[in-house]
Amino acid sequence: MAIVGDTIRLKAKFYTWTGVVADPENIKLRIFNSYRKQLGEDIQIGHEHRVEAGTYQYEYTSTGQEGSILFFEFSGTLEGMPITNRSKVPIEWIKP
């Protein structure tokens, strides 16, 4: 869970069909609000966001526009096919 104004580390790990960790090409990140409407433009994810093989992260500061849940999607191309990794983060206005 995150509080509005927190910096959230969004993370994704990618695998091949055989379960081997791999780096996709042309990775982008999309951030969505609670209604799954995209907030802002696609974010290009480059080598500077790579943590280790197949693992990427991006630091995002919540603004309150997300609603109660921030949805995010890392996507790219792996072995010539599209690949997508989605997740969500609950957002609160105050600590419960």
Side-chain angles (χ1 to χ4, degrees):
M1 176 183 48
I3 305 298
V4 170
D6 279 354
T7 298
I8 306 162
R9 187 167 285 159
L10 308 177
K11 200 170 190 178
K13 193 165 197 170
F14 295 95
Y15 298 89
T16 65
W17 286 103
T18 58
V20 176
V21 176
D23 292 313
E25 298 175 347
N26 305 317
I27 304 169
K28 63 185 167 196
L29 169 64
R30 292 180 177 141
I31 297 172
F32 302 89
N33 66 15
S34 296
Y35 301 102
R36 294 180 181 85
K37 179 178 179 278
Q38 186 172 347
L39 300 174
E41 302 295 321
D42 292 356
I43 300 164
Q44 294 302 312
I45 300 297
H47 188 72
E48 68 275 13
H49 299 103
R50 185 178 186 264
V51 177
E52 60 188 24
T55 304
Y56 294 81
Q57 68 184 25
Y58 182 84
E59 293 178 354
Y60 171 80
T61 302
S62 66
T63 62
Q65 296 177 36
E66 301 88 3
S68 59
I69 300 175
L70 173 143
F71 292 94
F72 64 95
E73 168 187 287
F74 285 85
S75 62
T77 304
L78 185 60
E79 299 178 339
M81 302 291 290
I83 188 166
T84 302
N85 190 319
R86 293 186 182 111
S87 194
K88 63 184 175 180
V89 178
I91 304 287
E92 298 282 339
W93 284 96
I94 58 172
K95 291 185 181 186

